[in-house]
Amino acid sequence: MAKVLLVEPDVLLGQTYSAALKQADHLVTWCQTAQQAIQTIDSKSPDIVILELQLAMHNGIEFLYEFRTYNDWQQVPVIVLSHVLPTLKAMSPVLWDHLHIAAYHYKPLTKLSELTRSVDRVLSNPPYVSQLA
Amino acid sequence: MNSDVLRRRGQNHQVGTNERLLQALAEQIKLPLLQIARRAELARLSSDTSLVESIELTADSALRLIDNYLLSTKLARVQNSLQLEPVSIAAVLNETAHELSKLAAQYECELELHLSGRYMPIMAHRAGLEAALTSLGYVFIEAQSIRSHKHRPVIKLAAHRSKYGIVAGMFADLEGLSRDMYQRGRGLYGHTPQPLTQLVSTSGVGVFVADSLLKTMSTRLRLAHHQKLSGLAATFTPTNQLSLVQ
């Protein structure tokens, strides 16, 4: 069982991804904004973060920069699950490496089963091995 | 400059607006389709049949938004000959509240109807006005659902009098909603997937569909306040016209 921090702005998708991850035997904390996520991290000490980049107010990239500034959280793997296409320039491989993104999933094409498999794969492998799903 | 050139410019502007609206709608519709796809997958994995009702509601709301967009393009085409009629704002707000109530519940928001006093009929296109308020409601429900975990957030569907007429719209305790943000969003929608970034994580197309519908009724969506809440609303001219009010 891993402690998962899910950052997902939409209520229905947040509920759905949480339910699927719980079914896969993970403990899920779900936040809808970057600010909520930053406030939650200390108390929840997640083993892995699943992050949508397209958030209201502060976006996911801002969250990642903030997240990675804390020594305690530099080793925590992050899986991006986003509406933003991984091919966009904003998500260049340089940025992936810089922010230590362990896997990137384009949300519309990622099934729940693929997401839970990706979580297991990232947790069982050393972090920062970038892979495009 | 002759009238043909001016007319063509007007047509080009309208085509540009429609394309931007369609682009924003396409961005928005990805969300309910994704919700349906993932909820259906979860229902299959967990044999939870209660998810079916939520899937139906999501599909219905998405279809309604598409219909509202189509109505906006249709009304824009016939704008010069569009017949406005006396409409009861109370009846329209009631209908809209009924239409939005299930979605608000799904997103764990309280939807309140606030009508203080009686209002004279306003000049509007009834179906267009209902479509505008419903589309606006979708965005407010989404925006409010992001902002509060502890308290059930409240959205008010309300009308009040001002010196310019009767103001009707959606209001909520929304940090980040400002005149500047809305004006920037109006300039950006269709060009960026998230024009109302301080408000919602989607394209917020409901706001622009509502504005487009209201424009055909010679009014626009503007930042407004109701009691201590801020929101987006339009001002309508009351009428003394004695006729059967719809």
Side-chain angles (χ1 to χ4, degrees):
Chain A
M1 179 193 285
K3 286 186 279 184
V4 180
L5 176 66
L6 171 68
V7 188
E8 166 55 55
D10 182 70
V11 169
L12 298 188
L13 289 179
Q15 290 168 349
T16 307
Y17 290 129
S18 295
L21 290 161
K22 281 174 188 166
Q23 268 192 7
D25 212 21
H26 296 302
L27 197 63
V28 184
T29 304
W30 165 40
C31 297
Q32 287 176 277
T33 65
Q35 197 176 346
Q36 283 171 12
I38 289 291
Q39 286 166 352
T40 305
I41 290 165
D42 261 338
S43 60
K44 299 293 179 186
S45 300
D47 300 314
I48 190 166
V49 176
I50 300 174
L51 175 70
E52 167 60 273
L53 299 176
Q54 202 171 300
L55 302 170
M57 296 165 276
H58 300 289
N59 66 40
I61 301 286
E62 287 177 271
F63 164 81
L64 267 180
Y65 272 109
E66 175 78 12
F67 185 60
R68 293 302 188 204
T69 58
Y70 297 93
N71 284 337
D72 290 352
W73 310 122
Q74 285 183 358
Q75 302 302 313
V76 176
V78 171
I79 293 177
V80 172
L81 175 67
S82 181
H83 283 291
V84 180
L85 277 164
T87 48
L88 290 183
K89 279 185 180 168
M91 280 317 301
S92 68
V94 177
L95 193 62
W96 285 26
D97 287 343
H98 183 61
L99 294 171
H100 301 156
I101 294 170
Y104 196 113
H105 296 271
Y106 180 49
K107 205 187 253 177
L109 300 182
T110 306
K111 291 185 179 293
L112 299 174
S113 51
E114 289 171 277
L115 176 66
T116 52
R117 272 203 303 275
S118 180
V119 169
D120 293 340
R121 194 168 53 232
V122 169
L123 286 170
S124 60
N125 287 327
Y128 315 146
V129 181
S130 296
Q131 46 195 301
L132 177 59
Chain B
M1 203 176 294
N2 69 36
S3 59
D4 277 356
V5 173
L6 285 172
R7 199 182 67 240
R8 272 201 299 275
R9 273 195 182 176
Q11 284 168 347
N12 287 343
H13 174 74
Q14 190 55 48
V15 169
T17 303
N18 286 345
E19 279 178 7
R20 288 174 59 204
L21 211 49
L22 184 59
Q23 180 78 27
L25 180 74
E27 284 286 348
Q28 184 76 43
I29 289 299
K30 278 160 58 179
L31 178 65
L33 289 176
L34 183 61
Q35 290 168 340
I36 290 166
R38 294 299 157 261
R39 293 223 131 191
E41 188 187 351
L42 184 64
R44 180 171 51 77
L45 293 173
S46 62
S47 307
D48 181 357
T49 51
S50 69
L51 289 165
V52 174
E53 195 181 336
S54 126
I55 290 169
E56 280 176 8
L57 180 57
T58 302
D60 287 346
S61 303
L63 288 168
R64 177 74 203 258
L65 183 60
I66 293 170
D67 275 344
N68 293 351
Y69 161 76
L70 290 173
L71 181 62
S72 80
T73 59
K74 184 180 159 193
L75 294 187
R77 272 200 306 273
V78 297
Q79 186 169 4
N80 292 337
S81 56
L82 185 67
Q83 294 289 312
L84 301 184
E85 57 204 354
V87 170
S88 158
I89 190 68
V92 171
L93 290 182
N94 263 304
E95 283 288 322
T96 308
H98 180 70
E99 178 77 28
L100 290 172
S101 59
K102 280 188 181 171
L103 191 74
Q106 190 180 40
Y107 274 77
E108 297 168 1
C109 294
E110 289 286 345
L111 183 67
E112 289 181 6
L113 184 61
H114 196 258
L115 283 162
S116 47
R118 293 168 65 90
Y119 297 97
M120 291 167 74
I122 58 167
M123 292 307 286
H125 182 277
R126 182 176 173 135
L129 181 55
E130 256 185 57
L133 290 169
T134 308
S135 304
L136 189 58
Y138 293 155
V139 182
F140 270 66
I141 288 170
E142 187 195 336
Q144 270 298 54
S145 73
I146 294 171
R147 279 164 174 75
S148 181
H149 267 321
K150 289 173 187 163
H151 307 291
R152 204 172 160 90
V154 176
I155 298 163
K156 281 192 180 175
L157 188 57
H160 61 255
R161 286 183 189 84
S162 81
K163 62 181 174 182
Y164 303 108
I166 295 170
V167 178
M170 305 286 303
F171 302 87
D173 183 12
L174 283 176
E175 197 182 319
L177 177 61
S178 67
R179 188 168 283 112
D180 279 356
M181 185 219 67
Y182 174 54
Q183 291 300 340
R184 268 199 308 274
R186 264 203 339 205
L188 285 172
Y189 80 85
H191 299 303
T192 172
Q194 202 186 350
L196 301 170
T197 183
Q198 292 300 310
L199 204 60
V200 285
S201 62
T202 60
S203 75
V205 73
V207 167
F208 309 112
V209 168
D211 187 47
S212 172
L213 282 159
L214 291 164
K215 193 177 164 191
T216 65
M217 293 172 236
S218 304
T219 182
R220 297 300 292 262
L221 208 53
R222 294 181 201 284
L223 189 82
H225 297 279
H226 182 82
Q227 296 172 335
K228 288 180 180 171
L229 303 175
S230 52
L232 291 169
T235 306
F236 297 91
T237 314
T239 175
N240 288 316
Q241 199 171 324
L242 287 175
S243 69
L244 185 64
V245 176
Q246 295 191 345

